[in-house]
Amino acid sequence: MIRTGYELQFEPICPGVPGLGTAALVPWDTEIFGFRVAVYKPGPACADADMARFGTGFASWTEAHGISLCSCAVSAADSFWRRWLPESGFCLVDCALQVSLGPLSRAKLPAARLSVRPVMPEDHRAIEAIAGQSFAHGRYHADPFFPDELANRRYLRWVQNALSGEKPEDRVFVLGKPGEVLGFYHVTIEGEMSDLRLAAVAPHLKQTGAGVDLYAAVLHELRNLGIRRAVSTISAANSGVLNVYSLLGFRFSKPEIIYHWHAPGTSR
């Protein structure tokens, strides 16, 4: 499942040397931040002779496309690229894990003390207010050279897109009565699978257990909708969410190391 919901247009950074990987412009982050953002996808391990061309090829590609920031994610077990990326100017900013639970029909979910409901138009402003101030994890917040204000703006735009109704797979569940939004959960539903994308509770409810109720209530709703499997990707630094997923019986897999590259001379 493509978590972004978009298909990027990758191109080789060194034509004729596929092992050096591909890169693509990320149009949605570019629009939000006001400068060009890209993602780099490494190829298989290469000979040292080929790697000698990596730095030049990557620099040429980013310069030609006017890239200010480029991200890259590699398996935690990929010692080859974990060696070469820092040597090429990439800085480690975060670690990510995939979490999954299924089949939901047999999952031993705790009863939720609170219930959720589908989002209503009058909830939008309150949800946007929560989204704009509730997140402190993820690769942009983890990057010490990236402004928190822009990272928060990205989450706000994320939830605005989810609330727009443009994509039929998007669902937003709300905790609280109309006019009294206590939290929200954005998920996608595609066939019998749901991708759990973005959740938050109001600031005054943090440390109260309301987050656990939100997660559990949404999983009960998904099970009632016939969803067989729920997945998500989270920052390994987000210990609170890790504890919630562990409590709910999720399994953890596919650890990744996430790097950022900033263009030389970029204001930090």
Side-chain angles (χ1 to χ4, degrees):
M1 179 179 293
I2 300 174
R3 292 185 55 77
T4 60
Y6 301 89
E7 186 173 351
L8 297 172
Q9 303 300 312
F10 283 90
E11 56 189 47
I13 63 166
C14 274
V17 190
L20 295 185
T22 57
L25 180 72
V26 182
W28 46 94
D29 283 352
T30 295
E31 178 185 353
I32 294 168
F33 300 146
F35 52 80
R36 291 197 157 207
V37 179
V39 59
Y40 169 67
K41 184 185 296 184
C46 295
D48 287 347
D50 288 334
M51 288 308 300
R53 300 174 57 185
F54 173 69
T56 301
F58 180 77
S60 296
W61 188 89
T62 54
E63 183 176 353
H65 292 78
I67 304 301
S68 295
L69 185 151
C70 184
S71 67
C72 177
V74 299
S75 167
D78 190 340
S79 59
F80 179 85
W81 282 104
R82 286 173 56 205
R83 168 198 166 193
W84 278 101
L85 288 170
E87 292 188 8
S88 303
F90 283 82
C91 297
L92 190 155
V93 294
D94 201 7
C95 300
L97 294 169
Q98 185 178 101
V99 298
S100 61
L101 179 65
L104 281 181
S105 60
R106 297 205 299 267
K108 296 180 180 180
L109 299 175
R113 296 174 300 171
L114 303 172
S115 60
V116 293
R117 58 179 175 80
V119 67
M120 302 173 66
E122 53 263 42
D123 300 322
H124 289 196
R125 182 172 297 181
I127 290 174
E128 291 174 8
I130 294 173
Q133 60 181 323
S134 294
F135 301 101
H137 297 283
R139 59 188 178 87
Y140 285 116
H141 277 107
D143 186 339
F145 303 118
F146 197 85
D148 282 344
E149 185 275 330
L150 289 184
N152 291 336
R153 186 189 302 175
R154 184 172 182 264
Y155 281 117
L156 175 59
R157 181 66 63 86
W158 183 334
V159 80
Q160 288 172 337
N161 289 339
L163 293 170
S164 70
E166 294 180 359
K167 296 184 179 299
E169 63 269 23
D170 282 329
R171 303 285 181 91
V172 178
F173 294 100
V174 178
L175 192 67
K177 300 176 182 178
E180 299 180 14
V181 175
L182 303 178
F184 71 90
Y185 210 138
H186 167 222
V187 308
T188 65
I189 294 178
E190 299 179 51
E192 296 182 332
M193 179 176 288
S194 178
D195 190 352
L196 312 177
R197 298 207 168 180
L198 194 66
V201 296
H204 71 279
L205 290 177
K206 291 185 177 180
Q207 312 302 323
T208 66
V212 177
D213 287 312
L214 173 62
Y215 281 64
V218 167
L219 289 172
H220 280 290
E221 288 292 324
L222 292 175
R223 179 159 63 184
N224 292 339
L225 291 171
I227 300 302
R228 291 182 51 81
R229 183 177 177 82
V231 300
S232 188
T233 299
I234 60 172
S235 168
N238 194 345
S239 59
V241 171
L242 283 171
N243 288 331
V244 172
Y245 278 126
S246 179
L247 175 67
L248 295 172
F250 279 74
R251 297 179 65 87
F252 302 86
S253 62
K254 299 181 179 178
E256 287 187 326
I257 310 297
I258 301 174
Y259 297 86
H260 276 179
W261 171 91
H262 292 268
T266 301
S267 175
R268 298 180 177 183

